[in-house]
């Protein structure tokens, strides 16, 4: 399993990252632990979680449960040093965390202490802000997004204040590195400038949605990643399961995500099924598994640090792990480019 540097830190993470957001709703404690053990055996050293997980659904009753499941893995004998662990501070509006308070210097110590307690560890390797206080064009908001009603000076001041609080945590040893999620090129640039001005921790990574069906990252954000050493941690690389082909022809497998979220977070439409079919056809033409093709393509992108995938069964996990051994030919890449041009931005 290939290892890659996390930004300008000395942390090395596997090219595949095990996502955990179903542990506690769709997956039991034991299933989550089995996934961790299998991933580590395969050379995956990177696990991503968040204080608000699990999802499907998000609720006051379940929030924090995924971190608790990881903590129980440590409690039952898991070796902390074997894992690079990432978690996230929820952004403004998460009612179940601090009554929806925005991210601030005041909320950071409390949020980190809560995560450490649930995780049963002394430190988090990568601590990320889940989404910016000012909002984001992610999660299908790009269709109506208008950058307005924001005070840039206040945003910059908040960033500097937050970096001060994060630096205190670095000095305490509770976090090793800082990352962003669901951010823009402007926002990342401001965080980088604030770190340079204050000496606070520099942004090491960006966790945004990215897949064959969701390629918003390909322009300004890609340029930022390469020039500023802020690599992408791609979430939803299988487009919530569409790219596996399991939802084609009206199929809704039992216990699948679509049974819990009918419109798949705004992704479901006639256009997405047509686009998915184009990629399924590419995989079939080249005798490839579509899941592995989609993951291998993501891993090969020049701005990619790690690709976060989730699984609800061990068979899904093993299939995804197999993508690490796949190198796509130029012919496959050319066909993928053609499919993308024929079906741009299906959601």
């Amino acid at each position: 399993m290939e290892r890659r540097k996390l930004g300008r830190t000395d942390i090395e993470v596997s090219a595949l990252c095990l996502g955990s957001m179903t542990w506690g709703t769709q997956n039991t404690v034991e299933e989550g632990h089995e996934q961790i053990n299998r991933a580590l055996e395969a050379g995956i050293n990177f696990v991503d979680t968040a204080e608000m997980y699990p999802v499907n659904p998000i609720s006051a009753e379940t929030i924090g449960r995924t971190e608790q499941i990881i903590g129980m893995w440590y409690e039952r004998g898991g070796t902390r040093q074997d894992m690079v662990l990432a978690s996230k501070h929820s952004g403004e509006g998460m009612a179940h965390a601090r009554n929806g308070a925005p991210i601030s210097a005041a909320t950071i110590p409390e949020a980190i202490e809560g995560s450490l307690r649930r995780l049963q560890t002394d430190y988090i390797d990568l601590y990320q802000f889940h989404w910016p206080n000012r909002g984001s064009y992610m999660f299908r908001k790009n269709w109506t997004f208008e950058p307005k009603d924001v005070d840039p000076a206040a945003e910059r001041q908040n960033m500097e204040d937050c970096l001060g609080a994060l630096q205190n945590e670095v000095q305490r040893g509770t976090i090793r590195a800082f990352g962003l999620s669901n951010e823009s090129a402007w926002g990342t640039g401001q965080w980088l400038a604030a770190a340079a001005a204050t000496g606070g921790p520099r942004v090491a990574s960006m966790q945004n949605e990215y897949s064959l069906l969701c390629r918003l990252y390909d322009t300004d954000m890609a340029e930022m990643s390469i020039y500023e050493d802020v690599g992408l941690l791609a979430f939803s690389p299988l487009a919530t399961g569409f790219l596996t082909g399991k939802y084609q022809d009206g199929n809704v497998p039992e216990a699948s995500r679509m049974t819990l979220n009918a419109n798949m977070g705004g992704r479901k439409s006639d256009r997405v099924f047509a686009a998915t079919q184009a990629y399924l056809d590419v995989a079939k033409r080249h005798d490839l598994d579509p899941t592995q093709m989609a993951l291998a393509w993501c891993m090969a992108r020049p701005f990619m640090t790690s690709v976060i995938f989730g699984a609800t069964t061990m068979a899904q996990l093993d299939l995804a792990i197999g993508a690490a051994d796949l190198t796509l030919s130029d012919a496959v890449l050319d066909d993928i480019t053609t499919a993308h041009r024929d079906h741009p931005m299906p959601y």
Side-chain angles (χ1 to χ4, degrees):
M1 181 70 63
E2 181 186 356
R3 298 285 172 89
R4 300 173 179 179
K5 275 290 190 72
L6 185 68
R8 295 180 183 175
T9 75
D10 60 358
I11 301 171
E12 290 192 346
V13 299
S14 48
L16 284 173
C17 173
L18 181 61
S20 63
M21 70 180 188
T22 62
W23 303 350
T25 48
Q26 293 174 266
N27 287 108
T28 65
V29 173
E30 290 71 22
E31 288 170 343
H33 292 180
E34 187 179 13
Q35 288 189 27
I36 293 173
N37 292 332
R38 177 69 185 95
L40 291 174
E41 289 170 2
I44 294 174
N45 73 336
F46 196 16
V47 175
D48 179 73
T49 191
E51 65 172 1
M52 65 176 274
Y53 290 169
V55 300
N56 297 324
I58 299 167
S59 70
E61 292 72 31
T62 62
I63 190 168
R65 187 180 291 173
T66 304
E67 287 186 328
Q68 291 173 340
I69 289 172
I70 295 171
M72 292 170 68
W73 183 80
Y74 297 136
E75 183 182 44
R76 295 178 181 181
T79 304
R80 177 67 181 89
Q81 289 71 29
D82 289 344
M83 183 187 297
V84 176
L85 178 61
S87 194
K88 310 180 195 73
H89 183 313
S90 301
E92 182 173 17
M94 173 46 62
H96 306 314
R98 296 167 296 281
N99 295 315
I103 299 169
S104 70
T107 64
I108 289 167
E110 174 190 352
I112 289 176
E113 285 300 324
S115 287
L116 292 175
R117 184 174 59 254
R118 290 184 292 271
L119 290 164
Q120 299 192 52
T121 185
D122 296 328
Y123 67 98
I124 298 167
D125 295 286
L126 176 65
Y127 196 64
Q128 304 157 100
F129 290 168
H130 212 149
W131 60 87
N133 291 332
R134 67 182 190 279
S136 171
Y137 58 74
M138 299 293 287
F139 299 106
R140 267 55 63 205
K141 295 178 183 177
N142 54 293
W143 298 105
T144 56
F145 180 72
E146 293 183 24
K148 61 181 183 180
D149 300 327
V150 170
D151 181 346
E155 290 291 324
R156 295 187 186 101
Q157 185 61 58
N158 174 260
M159 291 174 182
E160 292 188 5
D161 294 344
C162 286
L163 288 176
L166 289 169
Q167 184 61 26
N168 289 339
E169 299 298 326
V170 171
Q171 292 169 347
R172 288 180 60 214
T174 59
I175 65 172
R176 296 177 65 197
F178 167 54
L180 296 169
S181 183
N182 298 301
E183 254 291 6
S184 68
W186 181 85
T188 311
Q190 300 307 304
W191 282 105
L192 291 169
T198 65
R202 191 179 193 275
V203 177
S205 59
M206 178 66 59
Q207 186 174 151
N208 280 13
E209 183 171 358
Y210 189 73
S211 71
L212 288 167
L213 296 178
C214 181
R215 296 182 59 170
L216 291 173
Y217 207 90
D218 275 340
T219 52
D220 301 75
M221 291 298 287
E223 181 182 49
M224 178 280 301
S225 278
I226 290 172
Y227 294 161
E228 297 294 343
D229 300 317
V230 179
L232 177 61
L233 309 178
F235 74 80
S236 203
L238 298 176
T240 62
F242 280 112
L243 287 168
T244 69
K246 65 183 178 182
Y247 296 121
Q248 294 299 98
D249 302 319
N251 291 316
V252 182
E254 184 179 356
S256 67
R257 186 165 179 171
M258 196 176 287
T259 65
L260 302 171
N261 187 338
N263 76 349
M264 303 292 273
R267 298 175 182 87
K268 184 179 179 182
S269 70
D270 290 343
R271 293 178 64 241
V272 79
F273 290 113
T276 296
Q277 191 60 53
Y279 294 112
L280 295 175
D281 291 344
V282 172
K284 183 176 181 180
R285 190 177 308 128
H286 295 276
D287 196 26
L288 298 172
D289 178 86
T291 294
Q292 293 186 344
M293 184 186 80
L295 292 173
W297 177 82
C298 279
M299 282 189 284
R301 301 298 285 159
F303 44 80
M304 192 67 64
T305 294
S306 190
V307 177
I308 305 168
F309 71 95
T312 54
T313 69
M314 293 303 291
Q316 290 173 348
L317 179 64
D318 287 334
L319 181 62
I321 288 171
D325 298 323
L326 178 62
T327 300
L328 301 181
S329 68
D330 288 344
V332 174
L333 296 175
D334 287 345
D335 282 356
I336 285 173
T337 296
T338 298
H340 173 52
R341 289 176 174 171
D342 290 343
H343 302 274
M345 291 185 65
Y347 54 73

